[in-house]
Amino acid sequence: MTRLSPAAAPAILLGFLLLGVSPAHAQTPAAPASADDDDTRLRPLEPDFTLINLPTTLPLPVHGGNFHLTHRFNENLRRDDFATQASNLFGLDQGATIQLEYRFGVLKHLEAIVSRTNVDRDIQFSAKYDAFHQSASTPIGFSAIVGVEGGNNFRTRRAPALGAAVSRTLANVAAVYATPIWAHDTLPGAAVTQNTFYVGIGTRVRVVPTVFVVAEMSPRVSGYAPGDAEFAFAFEKRVGAHVFSLTFANSSATTYGQLARGGNPGALYFGFNLARKFF
């Protein structure tokens, strides 16, 4: 082993400084990233980026993608008897409310989302920032949400929304969520602007490793609150990167503004969600 002379030490130190690297850093390897901060890892209790309509705290890796299809048949299962429902194939003959959504990982923990619904040709642009996830030192996960939607392909009735998603997993069985959302101008066209603040609550319970029961509700706390609060429940199956849900809801709402306007009293609609991850 060659021994450096004392005169060489200042020159070596100067070289480290010119390169912007301290001697200690040069000798110590970088610490590996925490597994809790790895956006690509499988989170068994969070198979999807939504419960049924409400957002979750599931992160999307940088440059990763996710496609989501929401389909709600227009047959009110509480209105007709079983024979009538069966003759309509439980809504298949009654048309449907459909939303297409795609989200993309822009930066670490930051995803951009765009969706379009065939009702009013509503387009919603939104973003979600996953500030932190539940870990041994952090009891909850937290994501910040911002969005704006507009009718007629975003030409009219533009309405912003602000909110957050807070999550907590319980043992290896369930995940629970609280999603406070403020939606602006939830009664478009009125003489006075109406806003709505609601707090979505929901849970996903694992029955077997890849099968879940999901439920959510979005009670309004203040502001414009017509009809009943939106509620929905579903039976969900994850197969690899796919997630499929059979859903039942009192509304075909999917955007933040639509959820603020609530569900239809005495209504229950059958449908499904289909999601596919690309990472």
Side-chain angles (χ1 to χ4, degrees), residues 113-252:
I113 309 149
V114 60
S115 66
R116 187 185 187 276
T117 308
N118 63 344
V119 173
D120 196 29
R121 297 189 291 181
D122 188 286
I123 292 178
Q124 178 174 269
F125 298 99
S126 58
K128 182 166 75 83
Y129 179 70
D130 304 303
F132 52 86
H133 311 300
Q134 182 176 336
S135 65
S137 59
T138 308
I140 60 172
F142 179 87
S143 300
I145 298 164
V146 60
V148 60
E149 63 186 89
N152 193 20
N153 291 318
F154 206 69
R155 294 187 180 94
T156 60
R157 299 179 296 280
R158 297 187 184 97
L162 294 171
V166 181
S167 67
R168 168 78 178 174
T169 58
L170 305 175
N172 203 26
V173 177
V176 294
Y177 297 88
T179 310
I181 301 286
W182 173 84
H184 176 66
D185 197 15
T186 47
L187 183 59
V192 178
T193 299
Q194 298 275 8
N195 303 322
T196 302
F197 177 66
Y198 61 97
V199 180
I201 53 176
T203 184
R204 176 177 273 113
V205 178
R206 184 159 65 169
V207 181
V208 296
T210 60
V211 175
F212 305 85
V213 175
V214 188
E216 68 176 38
M217 188 175 185
S218 301
R220 279 75 60 85
V221 177
S222 63
Y224 180 59
D228 293 340
E230 175 268 347
F231 73 81
F233 61 94
F235 304 96
E236 184 177 76
K237 169 69 175 176
R238 178 179 66 81
V239 181
H242 296 80
V243 180
F244 180 77
S245 304
L246 291 176
T247 66
F248 298 85
N250 69 341
S251 168
S252 58

Side-chain angles (χ1 to χ4, degrees), residues 59-66 102-113:
L60 183 65
V62 177
H63 300 160
N66 186 80
Y102 192 80
R103 62 184 66 213
F104 180 76
V106 181
L107 300 170
K108 187 172 179 61
H109 301 334
L110 177 65
E111 55 200 71
I113 309 149

